[in-house]
Amino acid sequence: MPHYLNLNTHTQLEAPTPGQTMDYDAVALAAELVARGHGPLVEIGAQTSGLAIIQVGRSAIGDKLLIGGADPRRDGVIGGR
């Protein structure tokens, strides 16, 4: 998904990264953000932050189930047993 962040002085918009982020029209997204009052806009390159998440649940037979996700823009990976 596209990353954008407003810092109360400007709005950062991440440029699409082939193979890592969804392919989206950054120009159209920037125009829509400006139309909604998010300006001035600054385009940034690759993100320096990343996300990792673990969802805890139960399998169909009631065993504990862990499902993980890692942001491919960083060096995190999913692993386990």
Side-chain angles (χ1 to χ4, degrees), residues 18-75:
Q20 293 185 351
T21 58
M22 286 178 48
D23 186 27
Y24 58 92
D25 186 344
V27 174
L29 178 56
E32 185 64 30
L33 288 170
V34 170
R36 293 175 183 231
H38 292 275
L41 219 59
V42 175
E43 185 176 296
I44 58 174
Q47 276 297 100
T48 57
S49 65
L51 298 174
I53 189 168
I54 298 174
Q55 177 184 357
V56 180
R58 296 277 175 199
S59 71
I61 60 172
D63 292 336
K64 190 176 197 178
L65 180 65
L66 302 176
I67 301 171
D71 192 330
R73 294 173 291 187
R74 301 294 290 166
D75 54 356

